Amino acid sequence: MEHINETSEVDFILLGFSDQPQLEIILFVVVLLSYLLTLLGNTAIILLSCLDTKLHTPMYFFLTNLSFLDLCFTTSVVPQLLWNLKGPAKTITPTGCVIQLYVSLSLGSTECVLLTIMAFDRYVAVCRPLNYTAVMHPSFCKSLAGIAWLSGVGNTLIQSTITLRLPRCGHHHLQHFLCEMPAMMKLACVDIHANEVQLFVGTLVLLLLPMTLILVSYGLIVQAVVKIKSVQAWRKALGTCGSHLIVVSLFFGTTSAIYIQPKRSYGHSQDMFLTLFYTVVTPTLNPLIYTLRNKDVKGALRRLLGREQNV
């Protein structure tokens, strides 16, 4: 614990975009609007999925988990980011930094696993439609969701704890706008090769493996649809899987660019914008993607609004 407490009385300085004060004003407005839309959109999906009985299906159960996860994920990052963008103070307390590191990494890891489970759900829906209800029964879905959340918690307990134990020799200037693991590792004043290997292994397990499983799931879906040789089947498969594919591309595209790269190059402006994208923009887009492309969600929204008007 001596390494963790080494700089316990010194606030961390999040340099972020401080070298571009004019950009900070624009980012403040964009991030604030995105956060409000995230709160509105994801809360709406959660309420619709809970209140409308037609949405009491495995797909919307997992979508509810994803929306709740996105709400927590952005809330772990955005309030502190807005505070730092609005004025000269760019600090975060050691306790706040530790909490942000544990929570954001846990939720990000959980999302990787959850998106993989959602791909499996789509595979069963398209390739095993007659067995869908039997396979994706409620207790099994809850177990899968539990595995996703436990995987995220387990990953952050291991990786974040090891990172926080690195001696920093008084270094407390983070080349980032949040306490993220690669940025925290760069503060270390010892050889971090072993930590980079450990991070790479964790990335393989919770980033590359899920990406591979998702690709396999969609490969089997395409194979099944090709055998049918029906335009209607293609449209149905695209309608069933399109939204999830877009969300997967947005999330994994940016996170893989951050975590699968030489650590010496980490901390550049492009990395911060990529992090900004998957922590702020993607959670805003997710509910829009699922709402605009999904007839069930739009129908549930109309039914809910119609019910309220009748009352």
Side-chain angles (χ1 to χ4, degrees):
M1 292 296 292
E2 60 187 60
H3 294 319
I4 297 178
N5 295 329
E6 182 181 294
T7 56
S8 59
E9 297 181 359
V10 181
D11 287 351
F12 288 99
I13 298 175
L14 301 172
L15 297 177
F17 306 97
S18 57
D19 59 337
Q20 306 173 68
Q22 292 181 334
L23 179 62
E24 284 190 319
I25 299 172
I26 298 172
L27 284 176
F28 179 86
V29 176
V30 172
V31 171
L32 178 60
L33 290 175
S34 295
Y35 185 51
L36 293 176
L37 288 174
T38 298
L39 294 177
L40 178 63
N42 286 289
T43 301
I45 285 182
I46 292 171
L47 289 176
L48 287 174
S49 298
C50 293
L51 296 176
D52 196 297
T53 54
K54 291 187 178 181
L55 299 186
H56 290 178
T57 64
M59 175 181 172
Y60 294 103
F61 170 74
F62 294 127
L63 181 56
T64 300
N65 274 265
L66 180 64
S67 293
F68 178 70
L69 190 152
D70 281 342
L71 283 175
C72 297
F73 192 25
T74 52
T75 301
S76 71
V77 174
V78 171
Q80 180 68 46
L81 174 59
L82 289 173
W83 177 261
N84 288 349
L85 286 173
K86 79 174 185 63
K90 311 295 180 186
T91 60
I92 182 172
T93 65
T95 301
C97 189
V98 169
I99 292 173
Q100 188 178 74
L101 178 64
Y102 274 101
V103 172
S104 62
L105 181 59
S106 173
L107 296 173
S109 302
T110 300
E111 185 154 351
C112 292
V113 181
L114 185 61
L115 289 173
T116 308
I117 292 170
M118 293 174 75
F120 172 72
D121 172 68
R122 295 299 83 208
Y123 159 75
V124 178
V126 175
C127 300
R128 300 286 186 273
L130 298 178
N131 299 325
Y132 182 74
T133 305
V135 175
M136 304 302 293
H137 53 82
S139 60
F140 183 57
C141 291
K142 290 176 183 178
S143 298
L144 289 176
I147 290 172
W149 287 95
L150 288 174
S151 298
V153 172
N155 180 56
T156 195
L157 286 176
I158 296 171
Q159 302 233 41
S160 297
T161 302
I162 292 174
T163 300
L164 290 171
R165 290 187 65 83
L166 288 170
R168 295 186 291 272
C169 302
H171 299 159
H172 58 279
H173 288 73
L174 276 164
Q175 296 287 339
H176 215 303
F177 62 82
L178 80 161
C179 295
E180 195 172 39
M181 228 175 66
M184 295 293 291
M185 287 170 62
K186 288 193 72 173
L187 296 182
C189 55
V190 295
D191 181 21
I192 59 171
H193 177 70
N195 298 82
E196 290 181 343
V197 171
Q198 162 251 323
L199 177 59
F200 179 71
V201 172
T203 301
L204 285 177
V205 174
L206 282 166
L207 196 61
L208 293 183
L209 180 58
M211 287 173 64
T212 302
L213 293 174
I214 290 171
L215 289 174
V216 170
S217 295
Y218 279 105
L220 293 172
I221 289 172
V222 170
Q223 189 178 36
V225 175
V226 167
K227 288 181 179 179
I228 300 174
K229 296 180 180 179
S230 166
V231 176
Q232 186 177 0
W234 273 103
R235 288 177 179 172
K236 185 176 180 180
L238 185 61
T240 303
C241 307
S243 298
H244 180 255
L245 267 174
I246 296 172
V247 170
V248 164
S249 301
L250 291 173
F251 181 78
F252 281 101
T254 49
T255 52
S256 59
I258 289 293
Y259 283 90
I260 307 174
Q261 65 169 316
K263 294 300 169 281
R264 65 178 66 91
S265 68
Y266 186 83
H268 296 164
S269 294
Q270 62 184 27
D271 297 312
M272 287 189 285
F273 279 110
L274 285 172
T275 305
L276 193 67
F277 192 87
Y278 79 78
T279 56
V280 178
V281 179
T282 301
T284 304
L285 295 177
N286 286 354
L288 291 175
I289 292 168
Y290 275 102
T291 302
L292 296 176
R293 292 183 55 85
N294 195 301
K295 294 180 180 179
D296 293 336
V297 174
K298 289 188 284 189
L301 183 60
R302 284 195 295 268
R303 286 191 294 273
L304 180 64
L305 293 177
R307 189 187 310 164
E308 289 180 350
Q309 290 175 357
N310 292 333
V311 172

